[in-house]
Amino acid sequence: LYGLYQPDSGEILFDGKPTEINSSADAIANGIGMVHQHFMLVPNFTILENIMLGGEGGALMEGEEATLAEIDRLGREYGMTVNPHAIVEDLPVGIRQRVEVIKAIKGGAKILILDEPTGVLTPGEAENLFAILKVLREKGITIILITHKLQEIMAITDEVSIMRDGAIVGFRE
């Protein structure tokens, strides 16, 4: 769905229309964001620099004031406040994950995929993440969680599809 792998069969329907997603750029253009299990942040950059990276036409500091305002707005609106001047490598894992979510939402994600989002979080950080995901869902963003922690999934999701070897083997609404 995020374009990292190509399907063997089937089709992707986006807003009811067949859509070809061959790269992460295609996914982003279609409003799909992803938070990888292993974060894709530059450790020695600030939060601001990481959020701007790749989104400013190659000029990293272009639009700094606008990005700061957007980070502040997203923090207030979704309960994801961060210090944009903090260095990523100095941050706890839960805040790094929050930066990834902010970056995806700032990039226009209407569908947010999280791969093993609680695997590296403390129980408190996981609760905080779930509170943020609830707000995102209430604001109309679709959340897809990929995890092996079925107890968590059953407690926080509207629908569950269980896949094994690329095939759906169970479903719950």
Side-chain angles (χ1 to χ4, degrees), residues 5 10 14 19 24 27 29 37 44 57 75 92 99 106 129 137 141 144 165 170 172:
Y5 299 98
F14 193 72
T19 303
S24 58
Q37 181 176 5
N44 60 342
V99 172
K106 181 187 175 294
L129 172 66
R137 183 184 71 200
I141 295 173
I144 299 173
D165 296 326
R172 182 200 76 149

Side-chain angles (χ1 to χ4, degrees), residues 50-142:
N50 269 283
I51 291 173
M52 292 181 73
L53 188 63
E56 298 299 325
L60 183 60
M61 297 316 289
E62 239 177 67
E64 182 176 337
E65 287 183 32
T67 303
L68 284 168
E70 185 68 359
I71 292 169
D72 181 61
R73 183 190 71 77
L74 292 170
R76 286 183 283 107
E77 187 171 335
Y78 296 107
M80 299 187 291
T81 57
V82 294
N83 172 2
H85 303 292
I87 304 294
V88 167
E89 65 191 354
D90 296 335
L91 300 173
V93 174
I95 300 298
R96 292 179 194 197
Q97 187 175 60
R98 186 179 295 184
V99 172
E100 291 276 20
V101 172
I102 291 169
K103 188 170 183 168
I105 300 303
K106 181 187 175 294
K110 298 296 179 205
I111 298 172
L112 182 61
I113 305 165
L114 293 103
D115 184 14
E116 296 290 348
T118 63
V120 293
L121 300 181
T122 66
E125 289 171 329
E127 284 181 32
N128 189 23
L129 172 66
F130 294 147
I132 289 168
L133 295 179
K134 181 180 178 188
V135 173
L136 292 170
R137 183 184 71 200
E138 289 169 356
K139 299 279 186 173
I141 295 173
T142 299

